[in-house]
Amino acid sequence: MPESGHGAVFLDRDGTIITDAGYLHRPEAVHLLPGAARAIQRLNRARWPVVTVTNQSGIARGLYAESDYRLVERRLAELLAAEQARIDAAFFCPHHPQFTGPCECRKPGTKLFREAAAQLGLDLTRSWFVGDRPGDVVPAHTLGGRGLLVLTGEGAAHQIQAAALGVSVVTDLAAAVETILGPVA
């Protein structure tokens, strides 16, 4: 882990790192998007903390349990480890306003990002926020970081919103990491 005050790369999970299977709760349904593991490996080697922040409203909807979410996370970690990559910390919101009322942790809320910063000693203004939906990248503006919308997952449907937010659009996670770190030497 880097010294205190370093930025991190905050990644959405579904549609950014893995295929968005809709209310994913079965480990066998976890599939890495092309180039995602290598992109995360590049961040790991460059000593950038990689943190996932994901909304998991399927828990609030009663479609699956928190234990199912944890099994999916374990499978993701296994798939990444097979490619010599890792996620340093994972945060999730199990709520949905229609079922559990409003909360501060559901993206684009910033509670989980602030918790990650406190736990890991991160500077949010030096951080990147990468995802396939506006809610994934709006926290960049709110917290003083930089956002990147990927075209994987739901990203293609949100390009106009990203432009309105002043967020750059890139093809996928590998392109996002190239923007953050520069081209592969």
Side-chain angles (χ1 to χ4, degrees):
M1 209 42 64
E3 60 194 55
S4 182
H6 190 282
V9 179
F10 290 98
L11 301 176
D12 175 53
R13 190 189 74 181
D14 304 341
T16 302
I17 302 171
I18 61 175
T19 304
D20 188 343
Y23 304 114
L24 180 60
H25 63 282
R26 293 183 355 263
E28 65 274 12
V30 177
H31 301 288
L32 290 169
L33 288 169
R38 182 155 163 39
I40 292 170
Q41 180 191 66
R42 280 194 71 203
L43 291 169
N44 297 153
R45 288 185 175 166
R47 301 184 52 81
W48 275 85
V50 177
V51 180
T52 58
V53 177
T54 179
N55 290 338
Q56 293 296 311
S57 70
I59 296 170
R61 295 169 190 269
L63 300 175
Y64 55 92
E66 186 175 324
S67 59
D68 296 317
Y69 162 80
R70 301 251 182 244
L71 290 172
V72 166
E73 286 299 297
R74 184 176 306 138
R75 179 63 181 149
L76 173 58
E78 291 168 355
L79 292 172
L80 290 173
E83 304 281 336
Q84 291 78 48
R86 74 179 182 288
I87 292 169
D88 297 299
F91 294 80
F92 73 102
C93 171
H95 309 118
H96 189 282
Q98 289 179 312
F99 302 95
T100 56
C103 69
E104 295 178 21
C105 60
R106 184 173 174 79
K107 293 183 296 183
T110 60
K111 180 181 179 186
L112 296 178
F113 298 100
R114 292 179 192 280
E115 284 181 8
Q119 286 180 25
L120 302 172
L122 302 171
D123 182 343
L124 295 171
T125 66
R126 294 180 175 182
S127 295
W128 291 83
F129 299 75
V130 182
D132 67 319
R133 297 171 190 248
D136 301 327
V137 296
V138 165
H141 177 71
T142 306
L143 298 168
R146 291 176 277 186
L148 294 169
L149 182 85
V150 293
L151 294 177
T152 52
E154 297 290 322
H158 299 291
Q159 292 181 76
I160 294 171
Q161 289 171 290
L165 293 167
V167 170
S168 296
V169 177
V170 294
T171 54
D172 58 14
L173 184 53
V177 170
E178 189 165 311
T179 299
I180 296 165
L181 299 179
V184 177

